[in-house]
């Protein structure tokens, strides 16, 4: 394939021209001349952190997800978050290693295609897109649940109609900002999430200060009633809660210094959010012991009441809804850039690479993701399934695919490092710790096979995996050019540091 036909090309830097090694820039051939491309080198370092942190939605996790983990982990919730933080940090080290060497708008998909060719790109890109597409409706449900609670406190009548209005409002706001300049949406993400986290942490500090009995909880520190199976059963869901740190990798073309800022944002976000979850899970179990946390429909609201600041529940509801909203925006931006890259690679129709003339935003991909999310939300909204259950089911399914994404990036990182003889003991250890944590999470999630609604989630996951493999086989046989397009960027890798 000639340079003019290839959807990705080598962009040598001044150092490379001088004979020194430099990161591989996985660029679009029209990136320097096409006014319709993404705007390049416009985001400072905080833009990377904004996307990674907002994608993890820590405020929402503090309010809703810790109780889900406590359901099976109990007094071992804090240790579960220690395990998942260490495991995800191992994955993050692998992502950071790749991000220091590759610059792209396709994130992990482009990096894996550059290393593993068509198979690597497909096995990374498919679960990456599925995880994002499934996560979006779950996040809308989460935002709608807390926005509805806030509006009910204000006197509006609750019910399915109010839920649907909340869902539509969340999607509309996210759509408006997703089509604006990425610098504007990044500022919004950073301000919303930092403000929300600060207020919720303030509530947890008040709870500790007014808790009778001190900070030492012997039941938690002694892991009373905790089982290994119970902790790892919740790791899969905790993976979904901690997922998204890698989303800043899709800003490679828009970042001013991507090979420095993206790796820092990836590992920094994991450490910050991980420590926050570990501390918060301990405090929440301390405030609501003996299974009360897992049984609570609104844990932070209950904690506010126990601490004598029941009025804080108004702030909690609004903060959590805003946190989910910021995550919807971050995931929409990420998914749209992956679809944009697939359109530029001719893996998907060219329409996916269309961008707005003014802001350089991939509007077609944004609209498609929003439409798909709206359809899923309306379908679930009309079913008798409770919104909180819908959030849990879709979050679990998305978590399964995130695990597949992270296992794949570990494999691609170690393969690339081995090929260029840059395989260090630290990188191997990070990859093995990450892989072991994720594999154990998968094992305890599926053995024994889940029953009821979560059994259905498992079979949906299995069906989607089977369908994806079938598409790869049939598509590769009937349309070999389509299969080769996935690997096009793999042949344009560039130099290594």
């Amino acid at each position: 394939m000639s340079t003019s036909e290839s959807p990705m090309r080598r962009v040598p830097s001044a150092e490379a021209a001088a004979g020194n090694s430099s990161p591989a820039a996985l660029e679009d051939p029209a990136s320097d001349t096409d006014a319709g491309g993404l705007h390049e080198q416009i985001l400072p370092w905080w833009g990377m952190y904004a996307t990674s942190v907002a994608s993890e939605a820590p405020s929402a996790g503090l309010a809703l997800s810790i109780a889900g983990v406590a359901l099976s982990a109990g007094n071992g919730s804090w240790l579960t978050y220690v395990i998942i933080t260490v495991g995800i940090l191992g994955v993050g080290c692998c992502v950071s290693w790749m991000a220091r060497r590759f610059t792209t708008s396709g994130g992990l998909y482009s990096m894996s295609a550059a290393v593993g060719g068509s198979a690597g790109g497909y096995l990374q890109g498919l679960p990456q897109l599925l995880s994002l597409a499934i996560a979006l409706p779950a996040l809308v449900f989460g935002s709608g649940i807390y926005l509805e609670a806030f509006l009910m406190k204000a006197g509006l009548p609750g019910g399915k109609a109010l839920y649907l209005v909340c869902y539509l409002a969340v999607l509309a706001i996210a759509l408006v900002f997703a089509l604006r300049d990425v610098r504007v949406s990044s500022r919004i993400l950073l301000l919303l999430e930092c403000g929300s986290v600060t207020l919720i942490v303030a509530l947890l500090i008040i709870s500790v200060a007014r808790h009778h009995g001190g900070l030492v909880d012997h039941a938690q520190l002694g892991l009373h009633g905790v089982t290994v199976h119970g902790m790892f059963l919740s790791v899969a869901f905790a993976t979904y809660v901690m997922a998204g740190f890698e989303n800043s990798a899709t800003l490679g073309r828009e970042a001013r210094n991507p090979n420095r800022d993206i790796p820092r944002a990836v590992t920094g976000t994991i450490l910050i959010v991980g420590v926050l979850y570990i501390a918060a899970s301990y405090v929440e179990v301390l405030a609501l012991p003996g299974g009360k946390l897992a049984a609570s429909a609104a844990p932070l609201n209950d904690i506010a009441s126990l601490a004598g600041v029941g009025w804080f529940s108004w702030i909690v509801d609004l903060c959590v809804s805003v946190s989910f909203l910021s995550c919807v925006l971050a995931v929409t931006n990420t998914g749209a850039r992956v679809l944009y890259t697939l359109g530029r690679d001719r893996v998907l129709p060219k329409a996916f690479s269309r961008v707005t003339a003014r802001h350089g935003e991939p509007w077609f991909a944004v609209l498609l993701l929003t439409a798909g999310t709206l359809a899923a939300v309306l379908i679930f909204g009309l079913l008798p399934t409770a919104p909180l259950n819908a959030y849990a089911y879709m979050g679990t399914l998305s978590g399964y695919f995130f695990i597949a994404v992270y296992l794949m990036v570990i494999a691609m990182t170690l393969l690339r490092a081995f090929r260029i003889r840059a395989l260090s003991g630290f990188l191997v250890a990070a990859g093995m710790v990450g892989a072991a944590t994720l594999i154990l999470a998968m094992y305890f999630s599926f053995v024994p096979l889940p029953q009821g609604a979560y059994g259905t989630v498992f079979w949906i996951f299995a069906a989607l995996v089977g369908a994806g493999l079938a598409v790869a086989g049939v598509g590769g046989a009937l349309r070999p050019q389509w299969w080769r397009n996935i690997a096009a960027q793999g042949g344009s890798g560039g130099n290594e540091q």
Side-chain angles (χ1 to χ4, degrees):
M1 183 176 292
S2 66
T3 303
S4 61
E5 295 172 335
S6 173
M8 310 296 284
R9 69 175 175 85
R10 186 190 305 264
V11 184
S13 66
E15 289 182 354
N20 297 326
S21 60
S22 65
L26 303 180
E27 297 278 357
D28 181 88
S31 61
D32 296 327
T33 59
D34 185 3
L38 296 175
H39 292 177
E40 298 187 18
Q41 298 182 346
I42 59 173
L43 274 179
W45 65 269
W46 52 260
M48 312 302 108
Y49 272 94
T51 297
S52 288
V53 172
S55 295
E56 292 202 2
S59 297
L62 297 178
L64 191 60
S65 304
I66 290 177
V69 170
L71 185 63
S72 60
N75 286 321
S77 297
W78 67 272
L79 184 56
T80 297
Y81 278 108
V82 170
I83 293 171
I84 194 62
T85 299
V86 172
I88 291 296
L89 187 59
V91 180
C93 289
C94 291
V95 174
S96 296
W97 189 92
M98 294 283 271
R100 282 193 292 269
R101 289 156 175 81
F102 296 108
T103 301
T104 176
S105 60
L108 303 186
Y109 151 72
S110 296
M111 296 175 185
S112 294
V115 176
S118 297
Y122 187 85
L123 292 177
Q124 182 67 275
L126 181 64
Q128 183 179 7
L129 283 175
L130 287 173
S131 64
L132 295 172
I134 296 168
L136 275 171
L139 296 169
V140 173
F141 284 128
S143 185
I145 289 169
Y146 279 88
L147 181 56
E148 192 254 5
F150 176 82
L151 294 176
M152 285 183 64
K153 286 184 175 70
L156 292 181
K160 186 163 292 187
L162 184 57
Y163 272 125
L164 289 175
V165 170
C166 291
Y167 300 153
L168 293 176
V170 169
L171 274 174
I173 294 171
L175 175 62
V176 169
F177 283 107
L179 293 175
R180 296 293 303 275
D181 190 312
V182 69
R183 287 170 293 187
V184 174
S185 60
S186 294
R187 289 191 189 100
I188 294 296
L189 291 174
L190 195 62
L191 290 173
L192 292 180
E193 200 57 54
C194 286
S196 298
V197 168
T198 300
L199 290 170
I200 291 176
V201 168
L203 171 61
L204 296 177
I205 292 174
I206 293 172
S207 173
V208 170
R210 298 187 177 183
H211 177 72
H212 299 290
L215 186 60
V216 176
D217 186 346
H218 295 288
Q220 288 194 74
L221 297 178
L223 300 177
H224 292 179
V226 177
T227 64
V228 173
H229 182 272
M231 285 196 301
F232 276 95
L233 186 62
S234 59
V235 166
F237 181 71
T239 300
Y240 163 72
V241 175
M242 291 282 289
F245 60 88
E246 77 286 354
N247 286 348
S248 57
T250 61
L251 299 174
R253 288 182 55 185
E254 294 154 292
R256 291 176 186 169
N257 194 339
N259 302 109
R260 181 198 67 187
D261 295 340
I262 291 175
R264 290 180 180 179
V266 167
T267 53
T269 296
I270 296 170
L271 287 171
I272 293 170
V273 176
V275 170
L276 184 62
Y277 277 137
I278 293 167
S281 61
Y282 182 89
V283 172
E284 289 189 27
V285 174
L286 178 70
L288 298 171
K292 294 179 183 178
L293 176 60
S296 174
L300 291 184
N301 291 347
D302 291 343
I303 290 173
S305 296
L306 290 172
V309 287
W311 54 267
F312 213 100
S313 63
W314 285 69
I315 297 175
V316 168
D317 289 341
L318 190 57
C319 285
V320 176
S321 180
V322 165
S323 179
F324 273 118
L325 170 61
S326 67
C327 192
V328 171
L329 175 56
V331 172
T332 299
N333 282 338
T334 298
R337 278 154 179 76
V338 176
L339 291 173
Y340 163 89
T341 304
L342 290 167
R344 284 293 178 114
D345 291 351
R346 304 300 185 265
V347 177
L348 292 178
K350 188 179 178 180
F352 284 89
S353 63
R354 293 175 181 171
V355 299
T356 58
R358 183 177 180 182
H359 299 300
E361 292 297 311
W363 64 267
F364 186 87
V366 169
L367 289 179
L368 184 70
L369 281 172
T370 303
T373 303
L374 175 61
V377 166
L378 290 177
I379 291 172
F380 270 94
L382 297 174
L383 293 175
T385 307
L388 190 59
N389 289 338
Y391 167 79
Y393 300 151
M394 300 194 80
T396 300
L397 180 59
S398 180
Y400 292 154
F401 283 107
F402 273 116
I403 289 176
V405 167
Y406 296 153
L407 287 173
M408 190 65 188
V409 76
I410 290 171
M412 292 296 99
T413 300
L414 296 180
L415 176 60
R416 184 62 167 178
F418 175 77
R419 284 178 177 174
I420 65 171
R421 298 180 181 179
L423 197 61
S424 66
F426 174 80
L427 189 62
V428 171
M432 292 301 99
V433 168
T437 303
L438 297 173
I439 291 171
L440 283 171
M442 276 290 202
Y443 175 81
F444 284 108
S445 295
F446 298 151
V447 179
L449 203 63
Q451 302 298 315
Y454 286 98
T456 303
V457 170
F458 164 77
W459 288 114
I460 292 174
F461 171 71
L464 289 174
V465 170
L469 294 176
V471 168
V474 174
L478 297 181
R479 299 188 63 186
Q481 184 59 49
W482 169 79
W483 186 250
R484 286 193 293 270
N485 285 346
I486 300 175
Q489 54 195 306
S492 63
N495 297 321
E496 289 286 340
Q497 284 187 326

